[in-house]
Amino acid sequence: MSGKHITVPKSVYKKGCVTTVEEAIKSAAQIGYPVMIKASEGGGGKGIRKVESPEEFHAVFRQVCLYRNPTVFRGTLVIPLITEL
C-alpha cells in the first residue's frame, strides 16, 4: 500500500473501542479468543497484549492501561481480532 491511505470514520472506529474491562470481556467473548488489546491512543503500540482467556483479562487490561499516555488517553481500548496460524 505504498503511498495509499485509508480513513476510518470516527463513528466506526469508536464501535471497536471499549471503556471498561467488563465491556472488553464481553467484546472478546463475541469475537473469540485469543484477542489483542491496546490503548486506543497515546501508547505508541508498546502496550499491545495478547489475551488467551477471560480469566487473564483483568490483569492484562491493567497492564495495557499502564502504557497509555495519560495526557492523550481517552479511556478506551481497541480489541483487534487476531488469527492464529
Side-chain angles (χ1 to χ4, degrees):
M1 285 191 53
S2 178
K4 295 182 180 181
H5 298 279
I6 62 167
T7 301
V8 176
K10 287 184 182 187
S11 61
V12 173
Y13 180 78
K14 284 202 166 276
K15 288 180 182 180
C17 295
V18 296
T19 57
T20 68
V21 69
E22 291 80 15
E23 286 179 316
I25 291 170
K26 183 178 176 182
S27 293
Q30 291 173 341
I31 294 168
Y33 288 90
V35 296
M36 300 294 284
I37 61 173
K38 68 174 294 299
S40 62
E41 299 177 54
K46 294 182 287 186
I48 298 171
R49 295 288 184 268
K50 183 178 180 180
V51 183
E52 298 276 358
S53 69
E55 294 77 26
E56 66 183 44
F57 215 107
H58 283 273
V60 176
F61 190 92
R62 282 191 301 274
Q63 289 175 357
V64 169
C65 288
L66 292 174
Y67 278 95
R68 89 262 196 275
N69 179 343
T71 62
V72 177
F73 186 67
R74 294 190 177 95
T76 59
L77 297 170
V78 177
I79 304 179
L81 174 65
I82 65 166
T83 303
E84 296 277 11
L85 299 177

